[in-house]
Amino acid sequence: MRVEEILRAHNLKNTGCRKYILGELLKNEAAMSENELKESYPDLFDRVTLYRTLKTLEERGIIHRIVLNDNTVKYALNRHHHKDDRLHSHFHCEKCDEVLCLEGVTHFDTELPKGFVTKDVFVVIEGLCADCVKK
Amino acid sequence: MRVEEILRAHNLKNTGCRKYILGELLKNEAAMSENELKESYPDLFDRVTLYRTLKTLEERGIIHRIVLNDNTVKYALNRHHHKDDRLHSHFHCEKCDEVLCLEGVTHFDTELPKGFVTKDVFVVIEGLCADCVKK
DNA sequence: TATTCAATTGCAACAACGATGCAATTGAAT
DNA sequence: ATTCAATTGCATCGTTGTTGCAATTGAATA
């Protein structure tokens, strides 16, 4: 799916920053931080514009935020195969810092105290990706 | 277990800030943020002291950090019944903002890509606690 | 194609938080 | 009571989240 189609499908204007962010996220398998998005073209967009654009894209359900245990934040596209975007988990490689959305819904049994209600579950698995294991 | 014993057991000096933080965490069932720790006595300790003390206590394995999906951080005691502190999950009530360590180890089956290695798993369950469900 | 207006952007600015250096203070061992 | 390493407070800096406002721009319409 091309960037323009995604934006049109969500009634969003075809602006530079949106096209850039979605282009990058489509290109990369891995999730990207605000800094990683800036790397290639540091002065292409203002910091605030990037921030606000990411917020808009998230609110419209086009991307999702991933908060890692070290407090950093990355963003990834909501892809088709994430049937329920809230229930897929993420992998964070502690060596190369790459973050991937894991296919396949996570299964778990956690006994909640009586009367508690679950709305969302956030899972981050930390470890080494296949490339970093080899090294 | 009293505060002084905990500190002695870990070869840490018996300082005001440490006693205060551990006292608060022992008193409360729920995890506490830096701000929540400051609330009762805003000027008792410098912001940096609180920050550094929490860091020390975490490094010594006395408390652990919990990073929520909204980027906020809370701290909780490492209690005995957490056999493996890395594997218990946390509950975050979206209404009253309370964070609890969940008893019982979380079970899950997530298929990692080939060659990936798991070192740690962080789970945060968001929802409503029993009290907030009633209201 | 030119006009128009709401949406988007850049800039300034501020708050919150993470982090470090340094000098003054303090816990606890002697 | 003395002593010294450990702890603390203060100053300070960098990063990130957030908002207001004026200038610019996308795209719908004439």
Side-chain angles (χ1 to χ4, degrees):
Chain A
M1 204 189 211
R2 273 217 327 294
V3 169
E4 281 82 0
E5 298 169 31
I6 300 178
L7 290 174
R8 187 118 47 92
H10 291 268
N11 267 319
L12 286 176
K13 278 192 192 171
N14 208 354
T15 68
C17 191
R18 288 177 188 157
K19 285 192 279 189
Y20 176 70
I21 290 177
L22 292 180
E24 291 293 298
L25 292 182
L26 274 171
K27 199 164 64 186
N28 288 278
E29 169 85 11
M32 296 176 79
S33 67
E34 213 172 301
N35 284 335
E36 285 165 349
L37 283 165
K38 285 213 108 177
E39 260 166 28
S40 316
Y41 306 94
D43 298 318
L44 191 51
F45 301 106
D46 188 80
R47 184 173 76 91
V48 178
T49 301
L50 219 49
Y51 162 74
R52 279 195 276 226
T53 303
L54 288 167
K55 205 173 166 188
T56 304
L57 294 176
E58 193 201 354
E59 282 163 1
R60 300 305 183 93
I62 301 172
I63 64 176
H64 61 281
R65 286 164 54 89
I66 304 156
V67 178
L68 302 180
N69 200 243
D70 64 0
N71 268 0
T72 61
V73 176
K74 299 218 181 194
Y75 297 87
L77 283 178
N78 294 346
R79 303 200 183 249
H80 280 321
H81 48 79
H82 302 152
K83 298 141 194 169
D84 184 341
D85 283 314
R86 300 174 312 178
L87 258 173
H88 71 269
S89 29
H90 296 104
F91 183 87
H92 178 208
C93 177
E94 64 186 23
K95 196 162 173 197
C96 69
D97 198 43
E98 226 178 56
V99 170
L100 296 173
C101 296
L102 297 176
E103 314 290 325
V105 169
T106 306
H107 258 277
F108 35 152
D109 320 308
T110 310
E111 319 98 48
L112 284 186
K114 222 178 175 170
F116 281 47
V117 173
T118 298
K119 296 241 177 146
D120 259 318
V121 181
F122 302 100
V123 179
V124 176
I125 300 177
E126 290 240 3
L128 293 171
C129 70
D131 284 349
C132 289
V133 167
K134 287 181 206 153
K135 290 168 194 165
Chain B
M1 201 189 214
R2 276 219 324 296
V3 169
E4 280 82 359
E5 299 168 32
I6 301 178
L7 289 174
R8 187 119 46 91
H10 286 86
N11 268 318
L12 285 175
K13 277 192 194 171
N14 209 353
T15 67
C17 191
R18 288 178 189 157
K19 286 192 279 189
Y20 176 70
I21 291 177
L22 292 180
E24 292 291 298
L25 292 182
L26 273 170
K27 200 165 65 188
N28 287 277
E29 168 85 11
M32 297 177 78
S33 66
E34 213 171 301
N35 285 335
E36 285 163 349
L37 283 166
K38 284 214 109 177
E39 262 165 28
S40 315
Y41 306 95
D43 298 319
L44 190 51
F45 300 107
D46 189 80
R47 186 173 73 91
V48 178
T49 301
L50 220 50
Y51 162 74
R52 278 193 276 223
T53 303
L54 288 166
K55 206 173 166 187
T56 303
L57 294 175
E58 194 202 354
E59 283 163 1
R60 298 305 182 93
I62 300 171
I63 64 176
H64 62 279
R65 286 165 54 90
I66 304 155
V67 178
L68 304 179
N69 200 243
D70 64 2
N71 267 0
T72 62
V73 176
K74 299 218 181 195
Y75 297 87
L77 283 179
N78 294 345
R79 305 200 183 251
H80 280 321
H81 48 76
H82 302 152
K83 296 142 197 168
D84 183 342
D85 284 315
R86 301 174 313 177
L87 258 173
H88 72 270
S89 28
H90 296 103
F91 183 86
H92 178 210
C93 177
E94 64 186 23
K95 200 165 172 194
C96 68
D97 198 43
E98 227 177 55
V99 170
L100 298 173
C101 296
L102 297 176
E103 313 290 325
V105 168
T106 308
H107 255 276
F108 35 153
D109 319 307
T110 309
E111 317 99 46
L112 285 185
K114 220 177 178 171
F116 282 48
V117 172
T118 298
K119 296 242 178 147
D120 259 318
V121 182
F122 303 101
V123 180
V124 176
I125 300 177
E126 290 240 3
L128 294 170
C129 70
D131 285 351
C132 289
V133 166
K134 289 181 204 152
K135 291 167 193 166

